Amino acid sequence: MMGKAGLFLLMLWGCTLCGSQTSMQKSPQGTLDFGFVPSGVYETHAYFEPGPIGILFHMVHAFLHVVQPNPYPHDLVTKVAQQKLSEVKQEYHKPENCVLALQAIYYEMGFIVCASLGVLFVLFMPLVGLCFCMCRCCDNCGGEMHQRQKKNADCRRGFFVTLLFVTSLIISAGVLCAYAANQNLSTQLKGVRKLVDSNFRDLKTFVNDTPMQIAYLANQYNTAKNKVISDLDNIGPLLGSRICAQMGKEVLPALDGALSLAGAMRETKQALENVSVSLEVLQEATNSLQVNLLNERARLSNTLNDPACSAPGVSSTCRDIRRTLSQLSINANYSALPNVDTELSNVKNVLKTDLSNIIQKGYSTFNDTPDLVKNQTKNIVSGIKSMLDAIGSNITSFSKQSPVQDILTNFTLYLSQSQSFVEDYYPVINQYDFYRWMGCIIVCCMVVLILAFNFLGLLCGTCGYNKHASPTTRGCISNTGGKLLMAGVGFSFMFSWVLMIIVVITFVVGGNVEKLVCEPFENRALFKILDTPYLMNPNWKNLLPGFLYQNPEIDLTFEKLYSNCKDNKGIYAALQMDNIFNISEYLNASMYTRDVDDVFEFVNVDLSDMVLLDANAKQNLLNFSNTGIVSINYEAYLAEINKGVTKVDLLSFAKDLEDQAGKLPKGALENALKGHASSIRFIHGHPFIISFFYVLTLNQSVRLLQRTTSDLPNKINHVIGALDAAQHLISSNGSLIITQETEKYMEMMIGYFKQYIDWVKNSIIMEVAACKPVANVVDTVEILTCSFVADSLNTFWFGLGCCTVFLIPSIIISVKLAKFFRRMDSEDVYDE
């Protein structure tokens, strides 16, 4: 009943989550955070730690393993279950049933042997006791009150005392073991109510949390919806930027090339102006410098023609100086270089059109694509938002349908009724537990009574014994000890067979429960029995799905169900409900995907009016290549520049002249030559420096022009070709790019819902309606049956059986020892 109600609940709940979802692809934009599914805290800890008494439990388990070392009879149990026990009993004469009986006997051989010995004990112990009493009445079997004197009497008495004392200690340990087991069972049964109630509370939490979890899953649709709305509100930057990024691969390099040429035009104009000015200045400067050098050379020549230069020791120096006079001359002839006024005028005419501003407008037009996209998709965005609101309303309405609440209410009522039913039996359980406890105490008291006679007999006999007294003159205390021992023997014969009956019954029941139920549950062999194909129904391969779903072919086993619930997985995964209710199919509403596709089909961003560079601007570029700057003879300029302004470095020439003058004798000639050196320095200081500065400027400008004009027509044609290609891309292929990027944008939108659907699926499988309480119920039943009842019961018969078995040596030793303590009627007399 409970299982079918839970199954129906999950099926209805799955329907509430499935009607309004779409199957979508993973969003590349980012991962959405849906938070954690709220879940209650289960308070049941289905784990039992027996404490110190666990040592006794392990001893009993070890003894049972010795009695029954055979592995679990999987085949035997399955065959009996498949053939049904009643049919086996009715048709026991069939060979196969005989084989099953023999297999059962073989498996239970240890229990049968032990039980048979117990039955023999029960049958023969009263007979032996009766015969023993009759024998003693006839003064036999130790009944004759005469004791023969032997030399080793004291040794024998001490030996019997020790044996009886050890035997009594063993019996005491056994009765303590039985008493501890009895008390442990009563103590554990007092905690049953708390454990059972916690399981019921967990089951109620399991049921009550399910609607809240369903509502949370439904509400998290808003997370995906809000993200989609946010991206729709930013469709311009998102979709427009994508379109810009794709087209920009061709558009931006083309515009960059055009902008670079516009900059080159301005640089060319500046360079031509520099060349024109530098050339004019250099021509004037070199002319002035030439005049100054010629005048200074003439004056220096006149000085060298002075008669003083004919004197011995001076003439050679004058000749050396005279040979260098030709170096005082201009080397570069800038007047021969053509001017660039025509080319400069042409470039200025080209620059009258502000090409940079036109190109910047092209950039601006292209970068306005996001705004264009936003303006042209306003109606589409509003339509999608309306569709999202409709989907959200459907999810909310489905998740609040009354049948789900009705099922939850009925299931909660069923749990409450079950809990009330169980609570009604608590007083009955306590009452019968008291009866059981009292009965076990009475049984233990039987053994304690025998032990009391044994210990009192040993105490009185040992303390009252006088080794100097003869058997006929023994004291009253010693005689009382012997009588107490014989009383213990009498009660042993009276109680031992009753004790053995109790031991045999509890041994057979408790031992088989431990071997056939508890151990198989611990090693999962019991689940394998339940999961055996065709166990209860020859038409059902698997029992659990056959009962739940009427489909025994589903690979759902008790062991898998228990393991999944033990791992606190969702009931959907634990029961493998996808075989009858595949949530993936319900979470794949393709009609909404089609609606989204249909809406985005109307996205039509028109970029046909976008012009990167008009025809006048392109013609302006072509005019630049026709300004004549390409035909300038830059090599002639560079050749003159590389010559240098003068044939010799004037400063070096002046220094050498001073050095030569220093070699001459002091006088007018020396002073005149040094004066010429100073004049040469002065010439270098003004017009030459000016010439040098403008030579550097001319050199830089010419080289810049040479680089700019290198293959200039091809560069311009390449830029114009790139602009044409980019314009063709926008005008002709732009719609294709827009379509592609719109599809990607749509996939991004759909991807958010795909994340939501995947999260819902994973939550349903792993988190929603986590079935840990189901596993806890099974574990609780195992704890109650095995840890509480079976272990305590087995420990009880183990201790009581130990007591009962050791009553036999206790009887024999007590009879032997009583002869040494009791006062005899006659004794052996020896003549001296």
Side-chain angles (χ1 to χ4, degrees), residues 152-165 458 462 465 813 817 820-821:
N152 61 348
D154 291 338
C155 182
R156 293 182 65 198
R157 178 181 56 80
F159 175 72
F160 287 137
V161 168
T162 302
L163 281 182
L164 183 58
F165 181 74
L458 287 172
T462 303
Y465 182 76
I813 297 170
L817 186 59
F820 292 93
F821 292 158

Side-chain angles (χ1 to χ4, degrees), residues 518-539:
C518 298
E519 284 188 8
F521 180 84
E522 185 176 355
N523 58 28
R524 304 291 178 89
L526 194 61
F527 290 116
K528 294 179 180 178
I529 292 292
L530 296 175
D531 295 332
T532 301
Y534 312 106
L535 179 66
M536 304 299 294
N537 190 324
N539 297 320

Side-chain angles (χ1 to χ4, degrees), residues 641-768:
I641 291 170
N642 292 332
K643 288 180 180 181
V645 179
T646 59
K647 294 181 178 180
V648 68
D649 185 8
L650 297 181
L651 293 177
S652 299
F653 186 88
K655 186 177 183 305
D656 292 340
L657 184 59
E658 282 185 345
D659 292 341
Q660 294 290 342
K663 296 177 182 179
L664 298 176
K666 300 293 184 178
L669 181 60
E670 177 190 8
N671 293 332
L673 291 176
K674 289 184 178 180
H676 290 302
S678 297
S679 298
I680 294 172
R681 286 194 180 93
F682 177 78
I683 293 172
H684 178 272
H686 181 62
F688 182 83
I689 292 299
I690 295 176
S691 300
F692 182 76
F693 171 75
Y694 280 98
V695 167
L696 291 178
T697 303
L698 180 63
N699 182 43
Q700 293 175 356
S701 300
V702 168
R703 292 188 182 278
L704 175 61
L705 289 170
Q706 187 180 37
R707 289 194 301 271
T708 302
T709 57
S710 177
D711 199 25
L712 180 61
N714 291 333
K715 291 180 181 178
I716 294 175
N717 291 332
H718 176 72
V719 169
I720 293 176
L723 288 169
D724 291 339
Q727 188 65 55
H728 181 268
L729 173 67
I730 294 173
S731 302
S732 301
N733 297 333
S735 58
L736 177 60
I737 294 176
I738 292 171
T739 301
Q740 293 174 346
E741 294 306 318
T742 301
E743 289 178 355
K744 293 179 181 179
Y745 179 79
M746 179 185 65
E747 290 174 359
M748 183 178 71
M749 298 293 101
I750 295 175
Y752 295 132
F753 293 99
K754 178 61 167 61
Q755 289 187 55
Y756 171 69
I757 291 172
D758 290 342
W759 174 77
V760 169
K761 290 179 183 177
N762 185 68
S763 298
I764 290 174
I765 293 173
M766 300 301 298
E767 299 181 61
V768 175

Side-chain angles (χ1 to χ4, degrees), residues 203-227:
L203 289 172
K204 290 180 179 179
T205 301
F206 168 79
V207 174
N208 294 333
D209 283 351
T210 301
M212 177 177 61
Q213 292 171 335
I214 294 174
Y216 183 82
L217 293 182
N219 291 335
Q220 285 306 304
Y221 167 79
N222 292 326
T223 301
K225 171 189 168 184
N226 293 336
K227 180 60 177 175

